[in-house]
């Protein structure tokens, strides 16, 4: 691995990784992606995504292409068309929306049981977002409610985040980068 | 949290709070985006205990957002847009008593009171006279009684209260109230909303009010003046409105006389009426049809002209009903809360989904709650709040819920088996049939003779406890009570004639004087009125200490005749009292 990585770095190329960013509407997917972009590329006002949008950002060794999907009910059936391309999944959860935690769980279950996802060992990063809201659930509680313990055949990680300030995002992306690198070799 | 229940996994259990303390009905629940941020809130007019604790509660997500006290018991609650101001924040109208309280931003904004009804001028005159001291309260009571019986305009509440008072309380009541003018108020029974001129989701709506005085009013949304007044044959209880006020509208009203009336634009009288076989408990419009739930556990569908389309029977009484409308999927159905703790979803007469609930559901509301479009909110009899979310992938197939022949057809009949004994018997019958027939007929004739002989003998000596004579039809039975040595003998006598009393009867007992002692071996019977049962009691004492029992004969005689009318033989039980000694 070391040699290959050094070669890539030496050539000035970065590996391209396709990521799917999923989650219910109003969970903060676009805000998170926006925050991961370099400061000069960030947009100021974020509106509900229509359909999906493709965003790019880079980390130290990887170049990410993110499919930022709309989470609205009527666009959720678009998700499965992009499952094949996805090499990693970011699943964003609104920790303050206790009522719709079951809906998030339901969508996660259908995602995990989809034939394009079920037998692939792709890393899933969960962002328990909106930690700044007063009565938000903790990331432990969120992972309990979503029954994340039942995911045995895929590497997963949950981070408590506040996408407005960017807290917790870097930790998650670092984990994702490590996972992708270890999968490649 | 999201385990699959009897509904086929179509609903996600989002939230259940069994101690939410919400006591309400479907007419007092609504969903509205009260802050204009795209998140719908649940607005509930909580009835409290029915006497106190009436509150306007607002829920957001799983938590209670705000709570404000209501002055009176709410009878209806609707959220509606009353103006075109931005942002589009709906007002909440709560109907209680004769008033409608309008809340904006959850603050009291306006109070609309229904106009008073006309007062009987004669009644007014009577109160005027008592005020001037021309008549005393007693005279006034008589005059008011007269008005109540004759006049077609009913009395005011004050006069009715006065009439119910005792004489000593009257004077005080008159002194207290004579200065105020008489008013007659009505109360609101149901509220609905009607779009003013556009069919948009956020168009301005008029309030439609049904009152106890059998009227329906349409109110202007901004000025709160009465735009239209319609009258009905009976007080309305449930209301459903479609259309636009300026274009064309239909108001479907279920009334307390068990009928449903349809009102239309440009007519102040009902256009169509549907007569139901039993009282309606729920009224829901699905598309162009009206679905009515009745007290006879049935669900009926009608066209908007009042023609009956279908009827289906439910397994339990209906508690509440609500419409389920999902425009994004083009789905419309009816949710029915039943007394057996189930909520059924019907499209036309087909059962699509059956939700089992831990308690009886008293109110149902379906719509957009929070950010989720297909949310079903139910409150239970015990005050619980339940939120379920329709799965994105749920598909309702229109197949009939009850497939195949009824279950009773597959039950095997209990036909007894035949053994070898039976087969041998039939063989014997086949061989000796003639002899068997003859022997049987000989025996049958003998038996008839013996029965007739015994019957004639019984008639001659009047041994039966039923009298067959036409002049004195009597019935008697005897009961022995007690363990001994003293027994209580009760004879129940009944005259079975249609309308003729029986007189001059007596009872005589025949018994072994060595064994029994009776204080009154001869009793006279009172006049027997037809139909009544007369118990005649006497005490029998057993004098023998040997544990012997005997028969006591009872004769009912007509005075002056030697032949008894009836006879009863009583087998006395063994006296246990002496044996114990």
């Amino acid at each position: 691995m070391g040699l290959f990585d050094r070669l890539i770095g030496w050539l000035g190329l970065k590996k391209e990784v396709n990521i799917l960013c999923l989650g219910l509407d109003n969970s903060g997917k676009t805000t998170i992606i926006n925050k991961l972009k370099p400061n000069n590329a960030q947009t100021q006002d974020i509106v509900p995504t229509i359909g999906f949008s493709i965003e790019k950002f880079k980390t130290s060794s990887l170049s990410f292409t993110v499919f930022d999907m709309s989470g609205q009910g009527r666009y959720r059936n678009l998700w499965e068309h992009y499952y094949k391309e996805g090499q990693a999944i970011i699943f964003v959860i609104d920790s303050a929306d206790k009522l719709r935690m079951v809906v998030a769980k339901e969508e996660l279950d259908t995602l995990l049981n989809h034939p394009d996802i079920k037998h692939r060992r792709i890393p899933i990063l969960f962002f328990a977002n909106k930690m700044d809201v007063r009565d938000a659930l903790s990331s432990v509680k969120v992972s309990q409610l979503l029954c994340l313990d039942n995911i045995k055949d895929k590497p997963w990680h949950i981070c408590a985040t506040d996408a407005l300030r960017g807290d917790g995002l870097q930790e998650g992306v670092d984990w994702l980068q490590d996972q992708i690198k270890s999968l490649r070799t | 949290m999201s385990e699959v229940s009897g509904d086929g996994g179509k609903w996600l259990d989002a939230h259940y709070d069994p101690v939410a303390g919400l006591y309400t009905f479907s007419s007092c629940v609504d969903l509205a985006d009260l802050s204009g941020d795209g998140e719908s809130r649940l607005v509930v007019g909580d009835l409290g205990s029915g006497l106190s604790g009436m509150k306007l509660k607002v829920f957001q997500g799983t938590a209670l957002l705000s709570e404000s006290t209501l002055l009176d018991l709410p009878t209806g609650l609707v959220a509606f847009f009353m103006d075109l101001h931005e942002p589009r924040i709906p007002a909440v109208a709560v109907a209680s008593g004769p008033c409608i309280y309008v809340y904006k931003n959850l603050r009291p904004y306006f109070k609309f009171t229904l106009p008073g009804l006309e007062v009987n001028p004669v009644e007014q005159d009577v109160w005027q006279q008592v005020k001037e001291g021309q008549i005393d309260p007693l005279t006034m009571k008589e005059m008011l009684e007269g008005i109540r019986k004759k006049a077609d305009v009913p009395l005011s509440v004050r006069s009715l209260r006065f009439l119910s008072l005792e004489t000593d309380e009257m004077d005080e009541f008159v002194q207290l109230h004579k200065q105020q003018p008489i008013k007659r108020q009505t109360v609101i029974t149901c509220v609905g909303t009607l779009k003013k001129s556009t069919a948009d989701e956020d168009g301005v709506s008029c309030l439609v009010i049904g009152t106890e005085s059998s009227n329906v009013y349409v109110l202007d949304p901004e000025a709160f003046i009465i735009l239209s007044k319609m009258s009905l044959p009976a007080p309305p209880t449930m209301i459903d409105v479609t259309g636009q006020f300026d274009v064309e509208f239909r108001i479907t009203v279920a009334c307390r006389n068990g009928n449903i009336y349809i009102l239309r634009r440009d007519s102040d009288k009902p256009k169509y009426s549907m007569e139901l076989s039993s009282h309606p408990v729920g009224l829901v419009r699905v598309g162009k049809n009206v679905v009515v739930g009745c007290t006879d556990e049935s669900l009926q569908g009608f066209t908007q002209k009042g023609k009956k389309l279908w009827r289906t029977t439910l397994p339990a009484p209906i508690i509440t009903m609500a419409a389920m409308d999902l425009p994004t999927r083009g789905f419309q159905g009816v949710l029915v809360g039943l007394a057996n703790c189930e909520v059924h979803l019907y499209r036309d007469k087909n059962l699509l989904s059956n939700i089992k609930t831990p308690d009886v559901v008293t109110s149902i509301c379906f719509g957009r709650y929070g950010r989720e479009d297909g949310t079903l909110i139910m409150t239970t009899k015990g005050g619980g709040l339940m939120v379920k979310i329709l799965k994105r992938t749920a598909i309702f197939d229109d197949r009939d819920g009850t497939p195949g022949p009824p279950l009773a057809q597959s039950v095997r009949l209990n036909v007894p088996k035949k053994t070898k004994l039976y087969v041998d018997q039939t063989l014997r019958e086949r061989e000796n049939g003639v002899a068997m027939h003859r022997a049987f007929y000989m025996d049958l004739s003998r038996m008839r003779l013996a029965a007739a002989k015994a019957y004639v003998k019984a008639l001659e000596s009047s041994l039966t406890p039923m009298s067959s004579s036409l002049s004195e039809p009597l019935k008697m039975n005897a009961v022995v009570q007690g363990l001994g040595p003293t027994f209580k003998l009760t004879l129940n006598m009944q005259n079975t004639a249609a309308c003729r009393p029986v007189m001059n009867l007596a009872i005589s007992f025949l018994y072994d004087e060595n064994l029994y002692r009776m204080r009154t071996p001869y009793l006279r019977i009172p006049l027997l009125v037809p139909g009544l049962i007369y118990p005649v009691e006497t005490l029998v004492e057993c004098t023998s200490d040997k544990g012997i029992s005997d028969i006591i004969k009872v004769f009912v005689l007509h005075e002056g005749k030697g032949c008894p009318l009836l006879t009863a033989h009583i087998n006395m039980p063994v006296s246990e009292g002496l044996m114990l000694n």
Side-chain angles (χ1 to χ4, degrees):
Chain A
M1 165 185 171
L3 180 74
F4 189 69
D5 254 5
R6 234 175 296 154
L7 190 69
I8 296 275
W10 183 49
L11 287 170
L13 293 171
K14 283 189 178 172
K15 277 188 292 181
E16 291 273 337
V17 184
N18 287 334
I19 297 181
L20 293 179
C21 187
L22 307 175
L24 300 187
D25 50 317
N26 199 37
S27 57
K29 296 175 291 298
T30 311
T31 314
I32 286 178
I33 305 293
N34 190 48
K35 208 73 190 175
L36 289 172
K37 290 199 282 189
N39 272 336
N40 51 5
Q42 285 182 9
T43 52
Q44 285 312 306
D45 41 319
I46 288 164
V47 292
T49 311
I50 304 295
F52 71 98
S53 63
I54 297 175
E55 306 282 347
K56 284 185 174 27
F57 69 90
K58 286 180 181 145
T59 59
S60 53
S61 63
L62 292 174
S63 162
F64 289 102
T65 307
V66 186
F67 291 84
D68 180 14
M69 311 295 295
S70 172
Q72 290 175 31
R74 60 190 133 162
Y75 294 122
R76 271 180 229 158
N77 42 13
L78 280 182
W79 291 5
E80 58 185 14
H81 298 293
Y82 300 90
Y83 286 171
K84 273 207 178 78
E85 281 98 274
Q87 287 155 299
I89 291 172
I90 296 177
F91 199 94
V92 186
I93 304 133
D94 179 354
S95 315
D97 194 351
K98 284 171 218 158
L99 193 75
R100 291 207 302 162
M101 213 51 93
V102 277
V103 186
K105 178 178 161 34
E106 172 68 19
E107 293 298 346
L108 180 64
D109 289 346
T110 43
L111 163 74
L112 292 175
N113 290 323
H114 193 273
D116 288 346
I117 297 288
K118 193 165 185 175
H119 302 294
R120 286 167 62 201
R121 199 182 142 77
I122 56 173
I124 307 177
L125 172 62
F126 294 94
F127 280 131
N129 196 20
K130 302 202 187 181
M131 276 302 157
D132 52 322
V133 178
R134 196 162 50 93
D135 42 357
L137 299 170
S138 68
S139 59
V140 179
K141 189 77 191 157
V142 169
S143 68
Q144 269 176 6
L145 287 176
L146 295 186
C147 304
L148 297 185
D149 298 340
N150 295 346
I151 307 173
K152 305 279 191 225
D153 53 346
K154 294 178 181 61
W156 61 270
H157 182 70
I158 185 163
C159 293
T161 58
D162 170 7
L164 291 178
R165 298 202 300 162
D167 294 353
L169 294 181
Q170 202 49 51
E171 179 208 338
V173 173
D174 290 347
W175 177 84
L176 200 62
Q177 187 176 315
D178 292 349
Q179 286 296 322
I180 290 167
K181 275 190 196 159
S182 64
L183 276 181
R184 282 290 170 87
T185 51
Chain B
M1 219 170 146
S2 65
E3 69 228 11
V4 175
S5 51
D7 51 28
K10 294 187 180 88
W11 300 91
L12 297 170
D13 293 329
H15 177 59
Y16 177 49
D17 181 4
V19 289
L22 266 179
Y23 302 92
T24 185
F25 299 115
S26 291
S27 59
C28 293
V29 182
D30 207 352
L31 291 163
D33 182 6
L34 289 179
S35 54
D37 59 356
E39 277 207 38
S40 286
R41 266 66 154 177
L42 173 71
V43 197
V44 182
D46 189 353
L47 281 77
S49 66
L51 292 169
S52 61
M54 288 82 80
K55 284 201 170 97
L56 180 69
K57 291 184 176 170
V58 180
F59 283 84
Q60 179 182 25
T62 55
L64 182 66
L65 189 72
S66 88
E67 201 177 52
S68 49
T69 308
L70 291 174
L71 295 175
D72 205 351
L73 204 65
T75 54
L77 181 149
V78 281
F80 69 109
F81 289 100
M82 54 188 291
D83 46 35
L84 286 164
H85 297 162
E86 294 285 341
R88 309 291 288 139
I89 291 176
V92 176
V94 182
S96 48
C99 303
I100 286 201
Y101 300 90
V102 180
Y103 290 78
K104 269 193 123 179
N105 292 320
L106 292 178
R107 286 194 185 81
Y109 172 74
F110 188 74
K111 176 184 168 186
F112 170 79
T113 310
L114 281 174
L117 302 173
E118 59 164 326
V119 182
N120 195 334
V122 190
E123 183 193 355
Q124 220 154 10
D125 201 41
V126 172
W127 278 94
Q128 184 63 33
Q129 281 180 20
V130 83
K131 184 180 163 190
E132 288 160 6
Q134 292 169 356
I135 49 172
D136 63 336
L138 276 175
T139 338
M140 182 170 133
K141 182 169 182 170
E142 272 167 34
M143 290 166 88
L144 286 176
E145 293 270 18
I147 298 169
R148 188 171 70 160
K149 284 195 186 104
K150 277 175 261 161
D152 32 329
V153 179
L155 289 179
S156 65
V157 177
R158 192 207 297 179
S159 298
L160 291 174
R161 173 96 182 91
F162 173 77
L163 286 181
S164 71
L165 289 178
E166 297 293 326
T167 322
D168 49 338
E169 294 166 332
M170 275 181 195
D171 219 22
E172 196 184 340
F173 186 82
V174 169
Q175 293 304 326
L176 198 66
H177 293 284
K178 68 182 180 186
Q179 295 304 330
Q180 286 116 31
I182 295 181
K183 277 188 287 186
R184 250 183 77 217
Q185 277 287 16
T186 182
V187 291
I188 298 169
T189 54
C190 50
V191 217
T193 57
L194 170 62
K195 291 272 176 291
K196 182 86 169 34
S197 50
T198 55
D200 307 349
E201 190 94 313
D202 60 348
V204 172
S205 300
C206 305
L207 285 180
V208 183
I209 300 171
T211 66
E212 191 64 50
S213 59
S214 310
N215 285 322
V216 170
Y217 296 98
V218 181
L219 300 185
D220 184 79
E222 266 176 305
F224 283 97
I225 49 168
I226 292 169
L227 291 176
S228 171
K229 180 186 171 184
M230 289 163 267
S231 60
L232 291 167
T237 54
M238 283 170 284
I239 198 163
D240 182 278
V241 193
T242 57
Q244 290 110 51
F245 180 76
D246 292 338
V247 189
E248 173 64 65
F249 62 84
R250 268 163 215 273
I251 303 176
T252 314
V253 196
C255 289
R256 210 164 284 158
N257 61 358
N259 289 356
I260 289 176
Y261 298 101
I262 297 173
L263 298 155
R264 289 179 63 180
R265 192 180 150 83
D266 302 327
S267 89
D268 60 346
K269 286 267 182 282
K271 177 97 176 158
Y272 306 106
S273 91
M274 310 171 207
E275 292 192 9
L276 302 171
S277 51
S278 56
H279 278 263
V281 284
L283 176 75
V284 164
R285 174 178 289 271
V286 179
K288 286 193 164 179
N289 297 337
V290 178
V291 180
V292 182
C294 293
T295 45
D296 61 353
E297 304 180 13
S298 72
L299 203 65
Q300 301 177 17
F302 294 89
T303 63
Q304 58 183 356
K305 290 194 171 168
K307 204 170 132 193
K308 189 164 169 181
L309 292 173
W310 49 264
R311 178 185 196 275
T312 181
T313 318
L314 302 174
I318 301 172
I319 302 294
T320 187
M321 279 171 66
M324 173 169 165
D325 194 0
L326 259 181
T328 49
R329 290 196 221 171
F331 178 86
Q332 285 189 315
V334 181
L335 289 156
V336 185
L338 299 176
N340 60 355
C341 298
E342 285 179 5
V343 176
H344 287 187
L345 171 64
Y346 287 90
R347 177 158 58 193
D348 288 343
K349 57 193 292 190
N350 299 323
L351 176 64
L352 300 183
S353 171
N354 181 359
I355 306 165
K356 299 227 171 13
T357 53
D359 195 359
V360 178
V361 168
T362 54
S363 88
I364 301 176
C365 188
F366 183 87
R368 182 182 169 86
Y369 181 48
R371 302 186 63 89
E372 200 62 42
D373 274 323
T375 312
L376 171 65
I377 300 169
M378 299 176 279
T379 66
T380 61
K381 202 175 173 184
L385 174 69
M386 206 182 311
V387 181
K388 283 180 186 279
I389 296 177
L390 186 67
K391 276 191 194 171
R392 183 170 62 92
T393 50
I395 299 160
F396 294 109
D397 45 349
D398 222 351
R399 147 185 80 79
D400 201 349
T402 53
L407 214 67
Q409 278 189 14
S410 55
V411 176
R412 301 190 96 195
L413 292 178
N414 190 14
V415 181
K417 280 189 179 146
K418 293 180 180 68
T419 56
K420 188 165 179 294
L421 188 69
Y422 174 81
V423 179
D424 289 351
Q425 184 75 15
T426 52
L427 276 177
R428 206 162 62 82
E429 278 174 14
R430 211 178 289 167
E431 282 160 15
N432 309 319
V434 177
M436 282 179 174
H437 182 79
R438 281 188 187 145
F440 172 75
Y441 262 89
M442 176 67 97
D443 290 345
L444 183 65
S445 314
R446 279 188 186 148
M447 197 184 74
R448 280 179 180 156
L449 180 65
K453 272 183 184 166
Y455 184 58
V456 167
K457 197 180 164 197
L459 277 186
E460 274 173 353
S461 53
S462 299
L463 281 171
T464 55
M466 294 274 286
S467 154
S468 54
S469 83
L470 287 172
S471 57
E472 275 106 10
L474 289 174
K475 217 166 89 178
M476 177 178 72
N477 70 65
V479 185
V480 182
Q481 289 167 314
L483 298 173
T486 310
F487 298 95
K488 185 173 168 190
L489 189 64
T490 312
L491 300 167
N492 290 313
M493 303 287 302
Q494 191 186 7
N495 179 2
T496 54
C499 57
R500 195 192 304 171
V502 179
M503 286 173 285
N504 297 331
L505 291 184
I507 290 179
S508 163
F509 297 93
L510 183 66
Y511 54 94
D512 187 347
E513 294 197 352
N514 298 325
L515 288 176
Y516 296 106
R517 192 164 61 227
M518 206 177 265
R519 205 170 300 154
T520 50
Y522 177 80
L523 291 165
R524 298 196 51 162
I525 301 177
L527 180 141
L528 294 180
V529 172
L532 297 182
I533 295 174
Y534 289 82
V536 180
E537 293 167 0
T538 182
L539 289 175
V540 182
E541 202 176 327
C542 185
T543 51
S544 155
D545 54 354
K546 306 241 167 39
I548 304 167
S549 69
D550 198 16
I551 292 174
I552 293 181
K553 293 178 181 171
V554 185
F555 302 104
V556 178
L557 306 143
H558 207 284
E559 275 181 19
K561 285 184 192 165
C563 180
L565 279 168
L566 324 166
T567 316
H569 288 205
I570 302 158
N571 288 308
M572 294 301 288
V574 176
S575 167
E576 289 171 43
L578 283 179
M579 288 160 87
L580 287 173
N581 287 342

